[in-house]
Amino acid sequence: MTDRPGIEIQYAMSAEGLPAEDSVRQWAGLALADTAGNPELTIRIVDEAEITALNHRYRGKDYPTNVLSFPYQALPGVESSLLGDVVICAPVVVREAVAQSKVLDAHWAHMVIHGVLHLLGYDHHDSGEATRMEQHETGLLNQLGYADPYL
């Protein structure tokens, strides 16, 4: 898999168990494999305070969540390769992996892929969209040797 130079990784915190930048790039690149051009995006790994503030401001929910995606909307007539930002909360990802008996790297891969797919227009607001998104995520995770995260 080729490195996608348009993928910026930001670590806004440090802790045990954070994925390596190369892994995050690989997972995001896999989700972007069928995307034309060289899309740009930022993946930011944060603590609970930052994700809670974002979740409250943009979704009206006052608690930490695992991943948020912020798609970029270019102004009419402006071409841009910018897809947007994915923000992932490390403590929530670790807690979920433990609580759900998942391999930590597999859960990180799932959160990165899930967030990037949101930037590409995938969603899960209704059952049809959710099924389509979950099947695509599962297929990508299988390519990495990881089990279906929805079982």
Side-chain angles (χ1 to χ4, degrees), residues 54-114:
L54 291 168
N55 204 22
H56 179 73
R57 179 173 182 180
Y58 294 101
R59 297 179 65 225
K61 300 178 188 276
D62 199 23
Y63 57 83
T65 190
N66 51 18
V67 60
L68 292 171
S69 295
F70 298 94
Y72 174 71
Q73 296 265 319
L75 295 171
V78 175
E79 287 195 33
S80 175
S81 60
L82 184 60
L83 289 178
D85 301 326
V86 175
V87 182
I88 304 173
C89 182
V92 171
V93 171
V94 171
R95 274 198 311 274
E96 288 176 345
V98 170
Q100 298 168 16
S101 300
K102 293 181 177 177
V103 174
L104 184 57
D105 271 357
H107 196 47
W108 271 108
H110 183 208
M111 293 300 97
V112 170
I113 288 168
H114 185 88

Side-chain angles (χ1 to χ4, degrees), residues 30-35 69 71 113-126 128-138 140 150:
L30 185 62
L32 294 167
D34 295 330
T35 306
S69 295
I113 288 168
H114 185 88
V116 172
L117 290 180
H118 274 304
L119 295 182
L120 295 174
Y122 284 80
D123 218 328
H124 44 76
H125 289 298
D126 67 46
E129 290 177 348
T131 298
R132 178 176 166 254
M133 185 173 190
E134 290 171 10
Q135 288 174 342
H136 193 48
E137 289 170 340
T138 299
L140 294 174
Y150 296 102

Side-chain angles (χ1 to χ4, degrees), residues 35-48:
T35 306
N38 192 23
E40 298 175 51
L41 65 120
T42 298
I43 298 173
R44 183 172 171 84
I45 298 172
V46 302
D47 60 17
E48 288 177 290

